[in-house]
Amino acid sequence: EAGVAQSPRYKIIEKRQSVAFWCNPISGHATLYWYQQILGQGPKLLIQFQNNGVVDDSQLPKDRFSAERLKGVDSTLKIQPAKLEDSAVYLCASSQLPLAGQRSNEQFFGPGTRLTVL
Amino acid sequence: AQKITQTQPGMFVQEKEAVTLDCTYDTSDQSYGLFWYKQPSSGEMIFLIYQGSYDEQNATEGRYSLNFQKARKSANLVISASQLGDSAMYFCAMRRDFNKFYFGSGTKLNVKP
C-alpha cells in the first residue's frame, strides 16, 4: 500500500512570493490534514478535510493561506504572499474514519515539505 | 486551550535502560484515543502505540508500553531497554470527535551509549 505522498520535498522562496504544496493521501482515507511544524515544536493543525468538506480551519491564516480538496482525494495548500515566519515543515496526513471494530485509525504522515522563506 | 501537555522538553537515558515520557491531556469527552509518535531527525512521523479511552489494559507494542491513568488524565510512554536509534522527538497526541488530532509540544529523547 502506497503511503502519503507530498511534493515538493523542499522549497526556498523569497518573502511575498507564493508557493503551493501538494498531497495525495492513502487510498480510501476520508480524512486529510495539513499541519505546520516549526522547528522544535509539535505539529499545528492548519486545516482538516473530510472527503471534500472542511472540518476545521480555525488555525489557518486565511488572509494568506488557502487549501482545497476538490474531488475528496488529493489536496493543495497555498501560501500567498509568504512571510518569513512561514518557514516550517508542512506535513500532510491522512486517516480513515474511526469505524466500529477498528481500533486505532492512526494518522499516516507524508514526508513533509520543508519551506524556507528568505 | 492546551489539550495535550508534555512537560519534558528534553530527556537523557543511558542505553539499555528504561525511560518514561510524560503526557497529560484535557478532555471532557468519554470516547477518545491517545497516540504516541516518534519523529527522528529525518523528519518522518512514525506511529508507535495507541490507547483507547475504554481500554482497561495498558497498551503494549514491543519495547513500548503506555501507562494509562484515566483518572489522572495521563498517558505516559515507557520505552524499555533503550537503543541508540530511539534518539528522536516523541509526540503525544489525542484524537477526539470528528477525527480531530491534537499534538503536544514534544519531548526530545537522547540515548547515551
Side-chain angles (χ1 to χ4, degrees), chain A residues 13-56:
Chain A
I13 61 173
E14 296 190 349
K15 60 183 179 183
R16 291 188 289 274
Q17 286 187 323
S18 62
V19 64
F21 312 129
W22 176 81
C23 172
N24 195 24
I26 292 173
S27 177
H29 281 194
T31 313
L32 184 148
Y33 311 80
W34 282 103
Y35 291 93
Q36 179 192 62
Q37 187 176 23
I38 293 172
L39 187 64
Q41 298 182 16
K44 169 190 165 185
L45 179 69
L46 293 175
I47 189 166
Q48 176 184 343
F49 293 96
Q50 186 164 309
N51 298 309
N52 60 352
V54 175
V55 174
D56 185 352

Side-chain angles (χ1 to χ4, degrees), chain A residues 9 31 33 35 37 40-43 45 48 50 55-56 91 95-98 102-111 114, chain B residues 35 37 39 41-47 50-52 55 59 89 91 93 95-106:
Chain A
R9 293 294 309 278
T31 313
Y33 311 80
Y35 291 93
Q37 187 176 23
Q41 298 182 16
L45 179 69
Q48 176 184 343
Q50 186 164 309
V55 174
D56 185 352
L91 294 166
S95 72
Q96 294 177 315
L97 292 175
Q102 291 183 322
R103 282 182 44 78
S104 65
N105 294 107
E106 72 270 24
Q107 290 181 314
F108 293 83
F109 284 83
R114 184 176 299 275
Chain B
F35 299 76
Y37 284 85
Q39 189 176 43
S41 56
S42 54
E44 74 267 34
M45 293 282 275
I46 303 166
F47 165 70
Y50 163 81
Q51 179 87 37
D55 294 342
M89 284 289 288
F91 292 99
R95 184 188 66 218
R96 293 178 62 198
D97 55 319
F98 302 108
N99 222 15
K100 293 185 181 182
F101 283 76
Y102 302 89
F103 283 82
S105 54

Side-chain angles (χ1 to χ4, degrees), chain A residues 76-104:
Chain A
T76 303
L77 176 70
K78 296 180 181 177
I79 308 175
Q80 183 178 8
K83 292 185 175 182
L84 297 177
E85 58 261 35
D86 298 332
S87 293
V89 174
Y90 291 84
L91 294 166
C92 179
S94 70
S95 72
Q96 294 177 315
L97 292 175
L99 300 174
Q102 291 183 322
R103 282 182 44 78
S104 65

